[in-house]
Amino acid sequence: MVYDVIIIGGGPAGLSAGIYAKRAMMNALLIEKVGLGGQITKTHMLENYPGFPEVSGMELMEKMEEHTKKFDLEIKFADVRQIKDGGDVKTVVTSDGEFETRSVIVATGTRPKKLGVPGEDEFTGRGVSTCATCDGFFFTGKDVALVGGGDSAIVEAIFLTKMVNKVYVIHRRDELRAEKINQERAFKNPKIEFVWNSNLQSIEGTNTVEKVIVKNKLTDEITEIQVGGVFMYVGVEPGTDFVEADKDGNGFLITGPDLSTSVPGIFAAGDCRTTLLRQVATAVADGALAAVSAERYLAGIE
Ligand code: NAP
């Protein structure tokens, strides 16, 4: 059997593509590696997805997953290793078999980047985390450090203040890149202390994290901060290693206005492509556009 479209990734872009593909009566398969929902399930609260003034990432994604059931989207859990481009028919090679398809939508999103400092790997799961929503509870009443100044960092720093005693936000500049509304909230929050112009040098402890070592970039001053945990929010990298199509210097797929990649029949949607804005709203829009573009591509090759 040859699918009309295989969608790789089950986050907002992939699920949206699935809904649009099924409504276009395409024979569609969505392949997801771990669990449906994507990175946004790690966000405790969204306030910028239209129609949902306040919703947790998990709740929103459960609704999207439920929505795909209405249209009987076929979903398979497997790790995609390769897309073999055979022209009009492509083969998606996974950890659980090979699947033939006439088009592909890559919607693999992103994964958290590592900083690469001593202690980061050693203490992962023992005080170092990339998910405040998942792990914040374990640090109730403690002081924690959080590294980064983007949307994820600031949204999650604010969330952590509900349970921890204090959050040291360590940022390499003296200006945040997060949304202004969240910057204002963070600046007003008495439990957040900013450590500006500073780089995390190492994470130290015995069995669990006990302190971080921070270096001020302007003065070279080294400071020790006693913390029970460290949350890393230093950006994201795309899950596109298996895709042989043109990418930018950071591995994000380069797409045209119809979300086509440099390989005919392979489209990209959501955070894994080069784009100005990575939000749930833009990801679901991408999913819709990629599905319609795939449908038009199929009509063209028929
Ligand atoms: P991001 O926007 O790329 O921010 C990464 C942060 O980490 C930046 O502040 C960056 O500093 C810092 N950083 C990067 N490399 C570093 C290094 N080597 N050492 C120290 N600091 C480093 O990543 P993100 O916050 O994970 O967000 C990813 C995407 O999802 C973004 O497009 C974001 O807008 C979106 N998002 C949106 C929301 C929302 O509710 N609106 C929530 C979460 C995520 P510099 O600022 O100096 O570069």
Side-chain angles (χ1 to χ4, degrees), residues 4 60 68 103 111 119 128 135 139 159 167 180 182 211 243 253 256 264 272 289 298:
D4 290 330
L60 183 64
T68 65
S103 68
R111 55 184 175 244
V128 173
D135 300 329
F139 301 92
F159 169 68
V167 184
K180 290 280 184 291
N182 285 323
K211 63 184 176 187
V243 188
L253 288 161
C272 68
L289 178 54
L298 293 183

Side-chain angles (χ1 to χ4, degrees), residues 17 86 90 101 105 111 132 149 183 186 198 208 228-229 231-232 240 248 255 268:
K90 299 164 201 318
T101 181
I105 296 173
R111 55 184 175 244
Q183 292 194 23
S198 296
T208 56
F231 290 86
M232 309 294 284
T240 56
D248 68 15
T255 50

Side-chain angles (χ1 to χ4, degrees), residues 39-40 43 45-49 110-117 147-156 170-179 182 198-200 217 232-237 271 275-280 282:
Q39 285 291 312
I40 196 65
T43 297
M45 189 64 71
L46 279 88
E47 295 182 330
N48 54 9
Y49 189 70
T110 55
R111 55 184 175 244
K113 260 201 300 204
K114 284 189 179 179
L115 206 47
V117 294
V147 188
D151 281 319
S152 301
I154 300 310
V155 168
E156 300 310 315
I170 300 163
H171 184 39
R172 63 181 174 183
R173 294 187 290 139
D174 61 359
E175 205 180 353
L176 302 173
R177 69 167 64 223
E179 272 185 303
N182 285 323
S198 296
N199 281 323
L200 180 67
K217 283 165 62 184
M232 309 294 284
Y233 285 106
V234 292
V236 292
E237 56 193 12
D271 287 7
T275 175
L276 276 178
L277 189 61
R278 294 193 171 86
Q279 302 283 310
V280 179
T282 53

Side-chain angles (χ1 to χ4, degrees), residues 81-85 106 239-247 251 253-254 261-264 266:
R81 307 256 162 90
Q82 193 189 356
I83 305 169
K84 287 187 199 160
D85 181 27
V106 180
T240 56
D241 309 353
F242 66 92
V243 188
E244 286 175 19
D246 289 353
K247 299 170 193 169
L253 288 161
I254 297 169
T261 66
S262 57
V263 181
I266 300 183

Side-chain angles (χ1 to χ4, degrees), residues 106-293:
V106 180
T108 44
T110 55
R111 55 184 175 244
K113 260 201 300 204
K114 284 189 179 179
L115 206 47
V117 294
E120 187 177 11
D121 283 342
E122 184 188 344
F123 289 109
T124 291
R126 291 190 293 132
V128 173
S129 169
T130 55
C131 181
T133 307
C134 325
D135 300 329
F137 175 78
F138 298 115
F139 301 92
T140 302
K142 294 186 179 172
D143 291 351
V144 297
L146 183 148
V147 188
D151 281 319
S152 301
I154 300 310
V155 168
E156 300 310 315
I158 295 167
F159 169 68
L160 281 168
T161 61
K162 289 184 181 175
M163 56 209 80
V164 306
N165 182 54
K166 185 168 192 172
V167 184
Y168 293 95
V169 176
I170 300 163
H171 184 39
R172 63 181 174 183
R173 294 187 290 139
D174 61 359
E175 205 180 353
L176 302 173
R177 69 167 64 223
E179 272 185 303
K180 290 280 184 291
I181 187 168
N182 285 323
Q183 292 194 23
E184 288 301 309
R185 287 171 181 164
F187 293 147
K188 282 187 195 146
N189 192 313
K191 285 187 170 184
I192 296 179
E193 180 174 330
F194 284 91
V195 183
W196 297 112
N197 298 309
S198 296
N199 281 323
L200 180 67
Q201 299 288 102
S202 63
I203 301 166
E204 299 182 5
T206 42
N207 288 329
T208 56
V209 171
E210 289 165 12
K211 63 184 176 187
V212 291
I213 312 297
V214 173
K215 184 177 184 180
N216 185 297
K217 283 165 62 184
L218 306 180
T219 63
D220 283 345
E221 189 189 351
I222 304 274
T223 314
E224 271 188 26
I225 307 175
Q226 309 296 319
V227 290
V230 187
F231 290 86
M232 309 294 284
Y233 285 106
V234 292
V236 292
E237 56 193 12
T240 56
D241 309 353
F242 66 92
V243 188
E244 286 175 19
D246 289 353
K247 299 170 193 169
D248 68 15
N250 294 314
F252 293 93
L253 288 161
I254 297 169
T255 50
D258 61 351
L259 303 190
S260 56
T261 66
S262 57
V263 181
I266 300 183
F267 300 82
D271 287 7
C272 68
R273 75 180 187 92
T274 299
T275 175
L276 276 178
L277 189 61
R278 294 193 171 86
Q279 302 283 310
V280 179
T282 53
V284 298
D286 271 13
L289 178 54
V292 170
S293 297

Side-chain angles (χ1 to χ4, degrees), residues 58-74:
M58 186 62 85
E59 190 188 343
L60 183 64
M61 295 320 297
E62 281 170 359
K63 283 187 193 297
M64 286 193 201
E65 182 184 345
E66 196 56 37
H67 196 159
T68 65
K69 290 185 181 148
K70 180 174 178 189
F71 301 109
D72 284 330
L73 175 65
E74 183 182 348

